């Protein structure tokens, strides 16, 4: 009995893995936003000022 359940689950998992490349699900996203012209640029200014002395990030160039 348990061997039958195991084989059934195994066949179902293999079938799902085989059909993954075939199944296509369209994904889209939409959001509300505001379109503004270039003349309406808003300049951002930090409340505090300072100088970066050291960073530990490695950038790929």
């Amino acid at each position: 009995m348990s061997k039958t359940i195991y084989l059934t689950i195994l066949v179902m998992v293999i079938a799902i893995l085989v059909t993954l490349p075939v199944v296509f699900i369209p994904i889209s996203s939409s959001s509300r936003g505001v379109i503004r012209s270039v003349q309406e640029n808003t300049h951002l200014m930090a409340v505090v000022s300072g100088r970066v002395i050291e960073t530990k990030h490695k950038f790929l160039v």
Side-chain angles (χ1 to χ4, degrees):
M1 180 70 177
S2 65
K3 188 174 182 181
T4 307
I5 295 172
Y6 172 75
L7 286 176
T8 304
I9 292 173
L10 185 64
V11 168
M12 288 175 57
V13 168
I14 291 173
I16 289 171
L17 290 176
V18 167
T19 58
L20 276 178
V22 178
V23 176
F24 177 74
I25 300 172
I27 299 173
S28 65
S29 118
S30 62
S31 64
R32 296 172 57 186
V34 178
I35 299 174
R36 295 178 26 185
S37 67
V38 177
Q39 289 80 19
E40 293 182 29
N41 279 344
T42 303
H43 295 284
L44 299 177
M45 187 175 293
V47 178
V48 295
S49 63
R51 196 172 84 183
V52 178
I53 296 173
E54 179 182 352
T55 64
K56 296 190 188 260
H57 295 290
K58 293 182 180 179
F59 297 103
L60 298 175
V61 178

